[in-house]
Amino acid sequence: METTLILLKPDCVKKGHCGDVLQRFEEAGFRIRGCKMMRLDQQVLREHYAHIAAKPFFPEVEEFMQSSPVIAIALEADGAVDKVRTLLGPTDSKKAEKGTIRGDYGVDVMVNVVHASDSQENAAIELKRFFRGDELFD
Ligand code: ADP
């Protein structure tokens, strides 16, 4: 079993898609191990998005990710990391097929509903970034 980290982004929270998105994961067999709502400060965003921090679009991403609280969720399943990213579709919502979460609810490459860890190694790092040990349940 693998656990991965997702963030329901501000567009998902503000448009009221959290229930629908979470239902898709539950119906696909994921188990929720942790869930919390939080505002992301500049420090955590710079850490979380270190791989894009030098890109010209990063200030816009920072502003977007701070435009409302997000919901961090730890999801467990066999092959959770890849399974979540398949259900999401590609980063650019405009290129995502209908039936994927980004294809159905996303707007563009930035406003794309959900963040998900892209490897088991990053999942372990990101789970620690957003959850204390006692906030994850077996
Ligand atoms: P993913 O979130 O699919 O793993 P990345 O790690 O490449 O994708 O990018 C992190 C986030 O930065 C994306 O989810 C998206 O919100 C934003 N982003 C990525 N590329 C762009 C871009 N070209 N313009 C604006 N925002 C972007």
Side-chain angles (χ1 to χ4, degrees), residues 4 6 20 23 29 39 44 48 58 63 71 76 78 97 101 113 128 131 136:
T4 191
I6 67 166
D20 292 343
Q23 186 174 10
R39 282 190 188 281
V44 80
H48 185 66
F58 185 66
E63 195 181 326
I71 298 176
E76 181 190 72
D78 270 330
E97 303 266 346
I101 290 169
V113 199
K128 279 210 182 94
F131 290 95
L136 292 178

Side-chain angles (χ1 to χ4, degrees), residues 76-92:
E76 181 190 72
D78 270 330
V81 169
D82 288 345
K83 217 167 150 185
V84 165
R85 288 182 68 95
T86 302
L87 288 175
L88 283 186
T91 306
D92 187 349

Side-chain angles (χ1 to χ4, degrees), residues 65 96 107 111:
M65 290 299 290
V107 174
V111 181

Side-chain angles (χ1 to χ4, degrees), residues 44-97:
V44 80
L45 276 172
R46 297 228 158 143
E47 210 181 284
H48 185 66
Y49 281 140
H51 62 293
I52 57 162
K55 302 273 189 197
F57 57 80
F58 185 66
E60 220 187 321
V61 172
E62 266 188 317
E63 195 181 326
F64 164 58
M65 290 299 290
Q66 292 185 303
S67 63
S68 87
V70 301
I71 298 176
I73 304 171
L75 289 177
E76 181 190 72
D78 270 330
V81 169
D82 288 345
K83 217 167 150 185
V84 165
R85 288 182 68 95
T86 302
L87 288 175
L88 283 186
T91 306
D92 187 349
S93 307
K94 288 189 178 136
K95 296 186 179 148
E97 303 266 346

Side-chain angles (χ1 to χ4, degrees), residues 8-9 12-23 71:
L8 304 184
K9 295 188 180 189
C12 183
V13 172
K14 287 192 280 193
K15 290 179 187 164
H17 294 316
C18 298
D20 292 343
V21 169
L22 201 47
Q23 186 174 10
I71 298 176

